[in-house]
Amino acid sequence: MSLLDRLRLGVAVGTAKTVTQLVRLLRLGAASVLPGEIAGRIQPQLLSLLSGQVKHGVIFIAGTNGKTTTSLLLRTMLESQGWRVVHNAAGANLMNGLITALLTNTNLIGQLNADYAILEVDENILPKVLPPVQPKLILCLNLFRDQLDRYGEVDTISQRWQKAIAQSKDTVAILNGDDPTLSYLGQQLSQRVLFFGLSEPEAYLDEIPHAVDSIYCPRCGHSLDYQGVYLSHQGDYRCPSCGFEKGPLAIDSRQWPQILIGIYNKYNTLAAILAAQEIGVDTANILDTIKNFHAAFGRAEELEVAGKKVRILLSKNPVALNETIRAVNQQRSHGGSSTTLMVLNDRTPDGTDVSWIWDVDTEKLVEQGGTVVVSGDRVYDMALRLQYSQADEEHGCKLIVKEDLQEAIATALEHTATGETLHILPTYSAMLEVRGILTGRKIL
């Protein structure tokens, strides 16, 4: 490192730590983004300089859904082994968030003391951060349509991922084999590749959901033949035209328990287990972590508010909302819930195009009856979607529209019976607002 680089590093670190203290002193948030943004401008090579100091390597976790939960689960597994782990725990997964997470764990001269760094990475910036970091592992959880106004279609992202990962020769790729796009991507790589997925036909969906993305062969374009699907386009498949099929799984899902609720969390669990095994975490520590795991903020996180239980289920795209509806309905079938709050925003973190709500099977939520309260910046878009989902007034839900979010939360709590759980299904920025109201503090 040149003298100029050292000077820039020192200034960048000092500035970042000062900004962090000011943000927290003024209670403006958790300082998980701004320090890295400023420091990165002072020292453009900061990400490479800091990540290179991690003793045993950096682990990237990428995908449309599940990054924060999987990151926290894997971090807890590694810490149970006695390792010191750096983690962007607040979920800030753009370049500035990654830098901030690393800076937080440095001393005043930029020295970083960590065994591993677990960094969840936004799918759009993954090709940009792979070259300077060269991670030890990369976990690719899934690829779904998400914020089309920012990212484009799934195939575009997967092509960029494949090109970037292929250039990181020493990186072990852990991919979702049930996702045809990621399975094909992994089969094209020359480095070590491990696939995780489900081996539980009893968990197949009754039919392929409307919000499905990749049911065509990524090799030849022919329609895939599915033996069954577990979630969206993830399942057991084969191409009748070219013979492309699901890659061999490196883990048997039937032998492992899962965290939290929902089939999507079984995938998150398997990804973390496979990564932990690759690193060398003891099986006893893995199982103990799964048993005692507590959700990350907004991801099946459970709170108690005014003596009532609240569960927040981040729902930021068609697949995520379909799966949270599926999970909520499972709870309803056991008499554990009768009220749902849906909050739809269209800000930059959410994606400004909310037309995706028409790809969601909201009929499955409405047909269960109960009360659905709607709020958010696009409250009337969501209310209209739910109204169209009702077959008739006698067999639908009670729909309540509240423009003011605080009022909506209060109304939903009023309609939640003692002993039941209020499920809140928000988009990303809405989730932060909801948590701010419920807990009295901001996340970012």
Side-chain angles (χ1 to χ4, degrees):
M1 188 187 305
S2 68
L3 178 60
L4 179 59
D5 283 336
R6 290 183 182 276
L7 288 173
R8 283 183 171 177
L9 176 61
V11 174
V13 171
T15 301
K17 292 189 178 295
T18 300
V19 171
T20 298
Q21 291 300 318
L22 286 173
V23 169
R24 292 177 179 173
L25 181 65
L26 298 173
R27 297 185 178 182
L28 298 176
S32 59
V33 173
L34 186 59
E37 178 67 28
I38 296 174
R41 293 178 184 272
I42 297 172
Q43 170 53 279
Q45 299 180 53
L46 195 54
L47 183 61
S48 176
L49 293 173
L50 294 177
S51 63
Q53 298 183 49
V54 181
K55 291 179 183 178
H56 300 307
V58 176
I59 302 168
F60 277 173
I61 300 185
T64 310
N65 297 336
K67 296 185 292 293
T68 299
T69 298
T70 307
S71 298
L72 178 58
L73 178 59
L74 181 57
R75 169 190 172 177
T76 310
M77 289 176 177
L78 297 190
E79 288 178 337
S80 73
Q81 197 75 14
W83 286 315
R84 180 181 173 85
V85 182
V86 174
H87 174 213
N88 52 336
N93 53 33
L94 299 177
M95 179 75 77
N96 47 25
L98 306 187
I99 293 174
T100 300
L102 294 169
L103 281 170
T104 302
N105 293 271
T106 63
N107 61 20
L108 292 176
I109 59 173
Q111 293 178 327
L112 178 65
N113 181 22
D115 296 304
Y116 289 96
I118 297 176
L119 301 175
E120 66 162 275
V121 182
D122 179 90
E123 55 264 41
N124 202 37
I125 71 160
L126 181 63
K128 183 177 180 180
V129 297
L130 265 167
V133 175
Q134 295 290 299
K136 177 184 181 70
L137 300 177
I138 179 169
L139 281 65
C140 297
L141 304 178
N142 45 59
L143 273 178
F144 303 122
R145 282 177 297 156
D146 186 57
Q147 302 186 40
L148 290 179
D149 53 302
R150 291 176 60 203
Y151 297 157
E153 291 289 353
V154 166
D155 289 345
T156 302
I157 297 174
S158 67
Q159 290 168 9
R160 294 176 62 220
W161 279 19
Q162 181 179 326
K163 182 178 179 180
I165 297 173
Q167 295 173 357
S168 188
K169 297 295 184 182
D170 295 327
T171 298
V172 176
I174 297 178
L175 310 177
N176 186 341
D178 288 358
D179 187 316
T181 302
L182 294 181
S183 182
Y184 178 73
L185 185 159
Q187 293 176 40
Q188 308 311 304
L189 297 175
S190 60
Q191 62 257 58
R192 179 170 167 79
V193 175
L194 301 172
F195 291 112
F196 65 91
L198 300 183
S199 304
E200 305 172 37
E202 66 275 10
Y204 285 157
L205 290 170
D206 294 334
E207 59 184 0
I208 295 180
H210 181 61
V212 67
D213 297 317
S214 304
I215 58 173
Y216 295 97
C217 177
R219 177 187 291 167
C220 72
H222 195 279
S223 295
L224 293 171
D225 278 347
Y226 275 88
Q227 181 179 342
V229 294
Y230 297 109
L231 187 164
S232 185
H233 56 268
Q234 296 179 5
D236 296 318
Y237 52 83
R238 186 181 186 279
C239 177
S241 177
C242 69
F244 166 73
E245 59 185 353
K246 175 175 170 176
L249 303 182
I251 187 170
D252 186 347
S253 66
R254 294 168 295 187
Q255 296 180 359
W256 296 94
Q258 73 171 77
I259 56 168
L260 309 173
I261 63 172
I263 199 76
Y264 52 94
N265 276 317
K266 186 63 179 280
Y267 280 111
N268 296 337
T269 306
L270 293 172
I273 290 170
L274 198 50
Q277 288 180 327
E278 179 69 11
I279 292 171
V281 179
D282 294 338
T283 299
N285 286 338
I286 293 174
L287 290 171
D288 186 64
T289 301
I290 294 171
K291 179 181 178 181
N292 297 293
F293 182 76
H294 296 288
F297 67 89
R299 281 75 170 180
E301 179 185 20
E302 295 183 359
L303 305 171
E304 185 170 317
V305 182
K308 296 182 179 179
K309 295 180 181 178
V310 176
R311 182 180 287 129
I312 305 173
L313 298 162
L314 177 64
S315 305
K316 62 189 181 74
N317 51 46
V319 171
L321 187 47
N322 269 342
E323 287 306 304
T324 52
I325 288 174
R326 182 180 175 186
V328 168
N329 283 343
Q330 288 176 347
Q331 296 297 305
R332 285 185 171 189
S333 67
H334 295 95
S337 174
S338 62
T339 303
T340 305
L341 170 60
M342 305 183 74
V343 191
L344 177 66
N345 282 356
D346 63 349
R347 303 174 195 178
T348 299
D350 312 294
T352 56
D353 182 356
V354 298
S355 61
W356 60 266
I357 64 175
W358 293 92
D359 290 331
V360 178
D361 298 323
T362 48
E363 291 79 7
K364 296 184 182 299
L365 176 68
V366 168
E367 67 188 14
Q368 296 295 317
T371 300
V372 179
V373 182
V374 186
S375 190
D377 299 341
R378 301 297 290 268
V379 57
Y380 292 106
D381 293 79
M382 182 56 78
L384 181 64
R385 176 68 186 100
L386 292 171
Q387 188 62 45
Y388 269 100
S389 302
Q390 308 220 57
D392 55 67
E393 294 184 2
E394 294 183 1
H395 298 91
C397 66
K398 179 181 180 182
L399 182 61
I400 301 175
V401 178
K402 295 289 183 181
E403 293 184 15
D404 182 80
L405 181 56
Q406 192 153 353
E407 185 179 350
I409 292 173
T411 300
L413 284 169
E414 289 173 5
H415 283 79
T416 301
T418 301
E420 292 190 349
T421 298
L422 167 62
H423 288 96
I424 303 180
L425 281 54
T427 53
Y428 189 80
S429 71
M431 180 267 290
L432 298 180
E433 286 187 293
V434 166
R435 287 197 85 262
I437 292 171
L438 293 177
T439 66
R441 64 185 294 267
K442 297 179 179 179
I443 295 299
L444 300 176

